[in-house]
Amino acid sequence: MSISTISLRSAIFPRSSAITNVFFVGAGTLFLAGLAQIALPIPGSPVPVTGQTLGVLLIGTSYGATLGLSTLLTYLLVGLVGAPVFADGGHGLSRLTGATGGYLIGMLIAALVVGALAGRKWDQRVRTALVAMLLGDAIIFSFGLFWLHAYTDKSWGWTLGAGLTPFIIGEALKIAIAGTSLPLVWRFVHK
């Protein structure tokens, strides 16, 4: 298998074993937990601005579909059993079944999708990396908005105002960061 058809993680660490994969899953889980603690409340919304979506895009793409999905599953599971890894130190089933649960489920699916696209080299060129990151973000927010709308039983206008509009600029920046940084890293890997 050539270097251009493997994940960034396996290109940089080609001799990974089960032990190193456990390390990567743990490191990715801690990375996501740390980014979740960067949480800014939005007045009138149950959804805070966090760094999680950037972490999901970076982990899914650089780890690949399988390891990215495993990392997000681990993150959700440790949060479910009580580790304070969700936004503002949150944890437990109530976070997954509450107003923001759809965003968390969307992150799981997004990691799988952007990881699969990275396996098709979408993370190696800025143009395709930006599209992959936009798709990953769209998945997160689609799940999040539908869940938020169903959970709150409020109008779609309120749902979009509370669950999407305040995030547009920040998400555009996160997409730009992930979509440009990964192709730059690949340039160094190819050298």
Side-chain angles (χ1 to χ4, degrees), residues 29 146 151:
T29 300
F146 278 103
Y151 181 83

Side-chain angles (χ1 to χ4, degrees), residues 67 111 174:
L67 196 59
K174 293 173 194 176

Side-chain angles (χ1 to χ4, degrees), residues 25-190:
V25 168
T29 300
L30 289 172
F31 180 61
L32 283 172
L35 290 174
Q37 303 320 305
I38 302 169
L40 305 170
I42 302 292
S45 173
V47 185
V49 172
T50 70
Q52 285 170 296
T53 51
L54 176 61
V56 169
L57 298 175
L58 291 172
I59 287 170
T61 305
S62 61
Y63 278 16
T66 304
L67 196 59
L69 179 65
S70 298
T71 302
L72 266 292
L73 277 171
T74 301
Y75 172 72
L76 294 177
L77 288 173
V78 299
L80 280 174
V81 299
V85 296
F86 300 142
D88 290 327
H91 56 84
L93 184 61
S94 64
R95 285 296 179 111
L96 262 178
T97 59
T100 59
Y103 295 93
L104 293 169
I105 300 302
M107 290 177 192
L108 180 71
I109 306 301
L112 177 66
V113 170
V114 297
L117 292 173
R120 290 177 165 69
K121 303 180 192 177
W122 282 45
D123 62 332
Q124 295 183 26
R125 292 189 326 240
V126 171
R127 183 176 65 240
T128 53
L130 288 171
V131 171
M133 300 307 127
L134 179 61
L135 180 59
D137 221 44
I139 290 168
I140 294 167
F141 277 85
S142 294
F143 276 85
L145 290 169
F146 278 103
W147 193 297
L148 180 63
H149 177 70
Y151 181 83
T152 61
D153 200 29
K154 295 194 179 194
S155 72
W156 273 106
W158 180 90
T159 301
L160 293 173
L164 175 66
T165 307
F167 304 92
I168 293 174
I169 293 172
E171 293 306 310
L173 289 171
K174 293 173 194 176
I175 289 167
I177 290 167
T180 57
S181 63
L182 290 163
L184 288 174
V185 173
W186 269 110
R187 282 191 202 154
F188 289 109
V189 170
H190 286 303

